[in-house]
Amino acid sequence: MHDGGVLALLAATRYQSLLLLHILAAMVWLGGLVVLTALGAHVVRSGERDAVTRFVGSLRTVGPFVLAPATIAVLGFGIWLVIDSDTWDFGQTWIDLAFALFGAAFLIGAVFQSRTAISAQRAAASGNHDEVARQLRRWLWGMRLILLLLVVITWDM
Ligand code: HEM
């Protein structure tokens, strides 16, 4: 194989690796939200105070250590893919749409979800269980909205 062929092969391998990491991060993000939403809905419905408190407490770990890194990785590798590719460019409609929908999902997560989760944690700490359930139900609606946005983005991809 001549030099051009080797370089083209390496570039293709790099693009494939970035795509793999982008898709893996998207799987963790979307799959994580599905599982958390199902668990959260189940726990609220059960009405068991200890279970609700433990679930709300676990969000403190899952949010910053699983969901936030996956979100950043999806964005980072997505941008890297566009830069790496000769076919895709910023300004193409599907890329702009991805950024707009990602921005909406990110904002809901960073502002609404983190606030309702913190409010639920505070309410749990002060023993106000009706308020915990109320905040958790609001959080669940935010989750469903983010999930819907992620499904639309995946269709767009
Ligand atoms: C935030 C901005 C994003 C950008 C700039 C972006 C960019 C890209 C690019 C350039 C590809 C490769 C397309 C190809 O070579 O055919 C891709 C594929 C993909 N992306 Fe994204 N992406 C973004 C967000 C997301 C999100 C939020 C998800 C899902 C949660 C997602 C899921 C996927 C999937 C499943 C593929 C594989 C489909 C395919 O290759 O046709 N992406 N993305």
Side-chain angles (χ1 to χ4, degrees):
M1 203 185 300
H2 55 82
D3 278 358
V6 174
L7 286 178
L9 183 64
L10 284 178
T13 307
R14 185 182 56 232
Y15 188 84
Q16 290 306 318
S17 310
L18 293 172
L19 185 57
L20 175 66
L21 293 170
H22 178 71
I23 294 173
L24 280 176
M27 285 172 153
V28 171
W29 190 12
L30 208 150
L33 292 198
V34 169
V35 173
L36 274 187
T37 307
L39 263 179
H42 172 74
V43 157
V44 168
R45 238 182 286 121
S46 80
E48 290 169 39
R49 294 182 170 188
D50 287 353
V52 173
T53 305
R54 248 181 286 122
F55 176 78
V56 168
S58 65
L59 294 180
R60 201 178 260 202
T61 314
V62 179
F65 296 110
V66 180
L67 296 179
T71 307
I72 300 303
V74 168
L75 177 68
F77 289 118
I79 292 172
W80 201 346
L81 278 166
V82 176
I83 292 171
D84 196 67
S85 154
D86 295 329
T87 317
W88 313 128
D89 269 309
F90 301 105
Q92 285 172 349
T93 309
W94 77 277
I95 304 272
D96 286 350
L97 185 63
F99 277 122
L101 295 171
F102 175 92
F106 182 85
L107 265 184
I108 296 170
V111 179
F112 186 73
Q113 293 310 88
S114 58
R115 257 192 225 165
T116 49
I118 289 168
S119 300
Q121 274 160 24
R122 289 219 185 100
S126 61
N128 186 347
H129 291 283
D130 288 344
E131 180 63 11
V132 181
R134 197 178 78 88
Q135 293 295 346
L136 203 49
R137 276 196 206 96
R138 296 177 73 205
W139 178 87
L140 281 170
W141 280 111
M143 279 314 234
R144 290 176 188 125
L145 189 56
I146 296 176
L147 270 172
L148 181 68
L149 287 169
L150 292 191
V151 170
V152 177
I153 301 178
T154 308
W155 162 82
D156 176 55
M157 294 285 125

